[in-house]
Amino acid sequence: MAAKSLSRTTSKTAPPPASTPLLIPLTNLHLDIENPRLPEELQGGDEEDIAKHLLETAALGELARSFADNGYFIHEPMIVAPLKARANHFVVIEGNRRLATLRILMGEVSSASFADVVLSGERKRELRAIPCVSIEDRDLVHHYLGFRHIGGIKTWSSEAKARYVHGEVEAVVSRKPPDPDPFSTIARRFGSEKPAIRTFYLAFAILRHARSEFGLDVTRMQQHSERRFGVWQRCMSVPPLRDYIGLKETQTYEQIKTSLKHLKPKQLQEVLDDIAPKEGLPILGDSRDATAYGRILDNARARQALRRTQDLEVAKQIVDEASLPTRIRRLAKKADALLAEIKETEMTAELAAAIHELHGSARALWGLTKAE
């Protein structure tokens, strides 16, 4: 059922309760310039630039054809909030892709796109007013977005989630009295887990600190695909890597703020370049390699090899070789423990066969030393 079945309101109509849809003139709807899905350099910018960015990155063509064929469906109203600076105008909190598509289709944003999409006269009249749900309380809007896109069914990219979580945590902390456990508060609000919220916050907070305090360029980490930031976020759980960049305790909000002051800019830039280089392929391109990468950073010889060869596999071999004596000693201790256990166990054919197999492996290892 298209939007024409609703009785139209004028721009002077006061917004109804949050649960009641109303038709708002398209010209009175504005893109959210603080949309968490936007790159930081576009936030707070011009609406036309934002619309063109969404056109380039969000595959709006299918939406345009759907609007031309079917109109705007009433069961998917945009979620909006009143603009304080302009009476009867609203910022679209949920539905920016749809709004950008409509503004381009209706000629409000100059673009040659959708040239093959033709709107009938009737369809143009229908699309001049859009079904919306207006929410006066911005906190409720934030709760809704967090639940829907972070803990819910329609998730944002990792970077967008982290940026939004960072803003929400800071907002909670800035209130009087400040929240003693902001990560738990936001986790409950968004239907998520505290460790996940903390990791989102930490990953984004480090990037902001690197840019503001060290002057490091972190835009590549945020402008690349979701995978770049996702790899960076995975690195937050690798102890050797954390030590390498100077990251200390991060269990609480206060610990994170303190730990940011101890970050090492040179090492931090090194890691950022390995994940999101200025050109070429990243050295650390897969989050599954984060643990091995951390071990490489913790080994001077392996780290030098990584810088010389730009090859993660070469550096991993050096780490593995360096750890062999330790690993063999660990196996020897396990064998000693097995010996004590076997002395108190009845010998069976199956157990004897297993011991024989272990003995053969030990003899082979010892044979390698004789061959040297």
Side-chain angles (χ1 to χ4, degrees):
M1 184 177 184
K4 63 181 180 180
S5 62
L6 285 175
S7 58
R8 283 198 174 84
T9 65
T10 67
S11 61
K12 294 182 180 180
T13 302
S19 60
T20 306
L22 75 160
L23 283 171
I24 295 178
L26 182 63
T27 53
N28 287 31
L29 296 174
H30 300 270
L31 292 167
D32 183 9
I33 61 176
E34 301 298 334
N35 184 346
R37 297 187 71 181
L38 295 174
E40 279 197 300
E41 65 271 16
L42 279 179
Q43 291 193 339
D46 182 76
E47 285 191 61
E48 184 161 342
D49 290 339
I50 292 172
K52 290 179 178 178
H53 167 78
L54 292 174
L55 177 63
E56 294 171 359
T57 61
L60 304 184
E62 292 183 6
L63 278 175
R65 286 183 281 275
S66 175
F67 289 143
D69 294 341
N70 308 303
Y72 194 102
F73 290 101
I74 185 175
H75 67 276
E76 292 185 351
M78 294 183 185
I79 308 298
V80 303
L83 273 176
K84 294 180 180 179
R86 300 183 67 178
N88 301 312
H89 281 248
F90 302 82
V91 60
V92 174
I93 306 299
E94 176 79 357
N96 280 267
R97 288 177 62 249
R98 286 169 278 164
L99 178 58
T101 303
L102 288 167
R103 293 182 68 170
I104 295 170
L105 267 179
M106 300 293 280
E108 294 184 14
V109 173
S110 58
S111 174
S113 300
F114 313 151
D116 60 331
V117 181
V118 179
L119 294 180
S120 66
E122 180 183 6
R123 191 69 76 209
K124 284 184 178 180
R125 287 190 294 272
E126 290 175 12
L127 295 177
R128 286 178 184 148
I130 306 302
C132 300
V133 169
S134 178
I135 301 179
E136 297 281 347
D137 188 339
R138 294 301 294 266
D139 282 344
L140 290 179
V141 176
H142 287 193
H143 295 185
Y144 168 81
L145 289 178
F147 186 84
R148 181 172 172 81
H149 295 291
I150 294 174
I153 60 173
K154 195 174 182 180
T155 58
W156 287 325
S157 70
S158 294
E159 193 274 341
K161 288 181 184 180
R163 183 152 25 99
Y164 194 75
V165 165
H166 184 275
E168 290 297 290
V169 168
E170 293 295 342
V172 167
V173 172
S174 66
R175 291 173 183 165
K176 303 293 184 181
D179 192 309
D181 191 1
F183 300 136
S184 292
T185 298
I186 299 303
R188 289 193 301 271
R189 179 184 298 175
F190 292 171
S192 184
E193 299 291 335
K194 179 178 177 178
I197 295 298
R198 181 172 53 229
T199 302
F200 278 131
Y201 178 86
L202 175 63
F204 192 77
I206 293 176
L207 294 185
R208 290 200 64 173
H209 187 85
R211 182 181 58 197
S212 62
E213 299 300 321
F214 303 146
L216 302 186
D217 181 7
V218 300
T219 55
R220 296 191 305 279
M221 186 69 73
Q222 297 176 266
Q223 288 177 343
H224 277 64
S225 68
E226 174 184 352
R227 191 172 183 176
R228 297 296 92 235
F229 189 89
V231 173
W232 164 247
Q233 186 173 319
R234 169 68 179 84
C235 288
M236 297 300 97
S237 62
V238 179
L241 189 150
R242 288 165 58 99
D243 291 341
Y244 188 70
I245 65 174
L247 192 60
K248 306 297 182 182
E249 290 294 322
T250 56
Q251 291 299 305
T252 68
Y253 176 85
E254 291 76 14
Q255 287 176 339
I256 290 177
K257 287 298 185 181
T258 300
S259 192
L260 292 176
K261 300 175 183 178
H262 298 286
L263 290 172
K264 303 172 183 177
K266 181 179 177 181
Q267 288 85 339
L268 183 56
Q269 182 69 78
E270 189 178 324
V271 172
L272 295 176
D273 288 341
D274 285 345
I275 299 173
K278 292 181 180 178
E279 55 186 27
L281 296 175
I283 288 176
L284 181 57
D286 192 320
S287 61
R288 291 173 293 185
D289 291 325
T291 298
Y293 176 71
R295 292 169 58 205
I296 291 168
L297 295 180
D298 195 42
N299 182 300
R301 193 161 69 91
R303 191 169 65 248
Q304 290 170 4
L306 181 66
R307 296 294 157 241
R308 185 175 65 254
T309 66
Q310 298 291 290
D311 191 320
L312 195 68
E313 290 303 317
V314 170
K316 282 168 66 175
Q317 290 178 10
I318 294 175
V319 170
D320 290 340
E321 289 173 4
S323 67
L324 274 175
T326 299
R327 289 158 60 193
I328 291 172
R329 291 189 183 98
R330 192 178 298 127
L331 286 173
K333 289 182 179 179
K334 289 183 178 180
D336 289 340
L338 281 173
L339 178 61
E341 185 177 348
I342 290 171
K343 286 180 179 178
E344 300 178 0
T345 303
E346 181 182 353
M347 185 61 64
T348 64
E350 182 180 6
L351 180 57
I355 292 172
H356 182 72
E357 185 178 343
L358 177 60
H359 179 253
S361 297
R363 284 175 60 86
L365 283 172
W366 179 247
L368 292 175
T369 66
K370 297 293 186 179
E372 289 296 325

